[in-house]
């Protein structure tokens, strides 16, 4: 997608982030890497800080089509960030998604609904500017589409080796799929 993002410091200390994107309208690439959609998709995010608490609202509407079928997708939901002193932070987010034809097959009737969110507790042993961070995460997604249902917990340790290099160690439990996952890796950005 290509588009435009606008930010505005609105009255009452509200931060506004608006976005409009669209597919480029060209034919799909050999491996379907180009977005050939012609619709404008829009999102709006409003955020307000109240002392150590930051509250946000997010909304998105988009469309996609395949042959004669069209899906309209909408997301809406709140998010919350609470700074609990210098070493702790709590994050939470909830989104509700609706689709009128999610698989582009001519679905009629009620919209498909997917609801989900996460809760995350971060601990910074050396403060938020330190090299270490430990994260406990809980995810939950309920959906009319059984394949989209998900519930997991994870514990992650991060060590910042350089400004753009981070070492990660994570243990996770997929509660829905009854499986464990352990990861170790290096994340870089250039």
């Amino acid at each position: 997608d290509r588009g435009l993002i606008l930010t505005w410091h609105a009255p009452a200390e509200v931060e506004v982030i608006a976005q409009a994107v669209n597919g480029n309208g060209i034919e799909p690439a050999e491996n379907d890497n180009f977005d050939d959609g012609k619709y404008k998709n829009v999102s709006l995010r409003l955020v307000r800080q109240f002392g150590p608490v930051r509250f946000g609202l997010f909304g998105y509407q988009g469309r996609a089509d395949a042959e004669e079928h069209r899906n309209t997708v909408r997301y809406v939901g709140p998010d919350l960030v609470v700074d609990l002193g210098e070493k702790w932070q709590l994050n939470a987010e909830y989104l509700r998604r609706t689709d009128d034809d999610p698989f582009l097959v001519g679905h009629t009737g009620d919209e498909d609904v997917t609801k989900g969110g996460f809760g995350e507790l971060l601990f910074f042993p050396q403060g938020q500017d330190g090299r270490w961070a430990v994260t406990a995460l809980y995810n939950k997604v309920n959906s009319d589409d059984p394949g989209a249902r998900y519930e997991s917990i994870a514990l992650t340790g991060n060590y910042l080796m350089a400004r753009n290099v981070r070492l990660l160690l994570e243990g996770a439990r997929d509660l829905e799929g009854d499986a464990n996952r352990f990861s170790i890796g290096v994340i870089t950005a250039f």
Side-chain angles (χ1 to χ4, degrees):
D1 284 347
R2 297 179 185 186
L4 178 66
I5 297 175
L6 301 172
T7 61
W8 177 39
H9 302 289
E13 299 180 33
V14 175
E15 299 296 319
V16 179
I17 301 102
Q19 174 179 269
V21 296
N22 70 304
N24 53 30
I26 63 176
E27 293 298 318
E30 185 174 315
N31 295 318
D32 294 327
N33 289 329
F34 294 123
D35 178 359
D36 63 348
K38 60 187 176 205
Y39 299 108
K40 308 300 186 259
N41 298 333
V42 295
S43 68
L44 179 67
R45 178 163 163 69
L46 306 173
V47 182
R48 172 75 158 80
Q49 186 89 26
F50 300 93
V53 177
R54 185 171 67 230
F55 179 74
L57 289 172
F58 176 76
Y60 172 92
Q61 179 170 313
R63 289 188 182 148
D65 65 7
E67 298 174 15
E68 71 276 359
H69 306 296
R70 178 185 299 168
N71 180 47
T72 299
V73 59
R74 292 179 182 92
Y75 291 89
V76 64
D79 64 83
L80 182 71
V81 176
V82 181
D83 288 318
L84 305 168
E86 293 293 316
K87 295 186 177 185
W88 294 90
Q89 185 179 76
L90 177 67
N91 300 312
E93 183 171 354
Y94 171 83
L95 285 174
R96 182 178 192 271
R97 173 183 171 150
T98 59
D99 291 85
D100 54 18
D101 189 3
F103 302 106
L104 299 168
V105 294
H107 172 78
T108 59
D110 293 338
E111 293 180 318
D112 282 14
V113 177
T114 300
K115 299 181 276 188
F118 71 86
E120 175 183 55
L121 182 64
L122 292 104
F123 173 59
F124 305 98
Q126 302 164 325
Q128 292 192 20
D129 292 330
R131 292 186 177 270
W132 288 96
V134 178
T135 305
L137 177 67
Y138 173 75
N139 286 297
K140 174 90 173 160
V141 176
N142 284 320
S143 180
D144 291 338
D145 173 11
R149 294 179 189 146
Y150 185 73
E151 185 175 14
S152 70
I153 56 174
L155 185 62
T156 306
N158 290 281
Y159 178 73
L160 189 61
M161 299 169 66
R163 190 181 331 194
N164 63 338
V165 180
R166 181 168 42 114
L167 179 65
L168 174 130
L169 177 65
E170 180 177 84
R173 173 83 178 150
D174 180 345
L175 301 171
E176 187 80 19
D178 195 29
N180 295 318
R181 183 188 76 229
F182 297 96
S183 303
I184 187 168
V186 175
I187 299 170
T188 63
F190 296 96

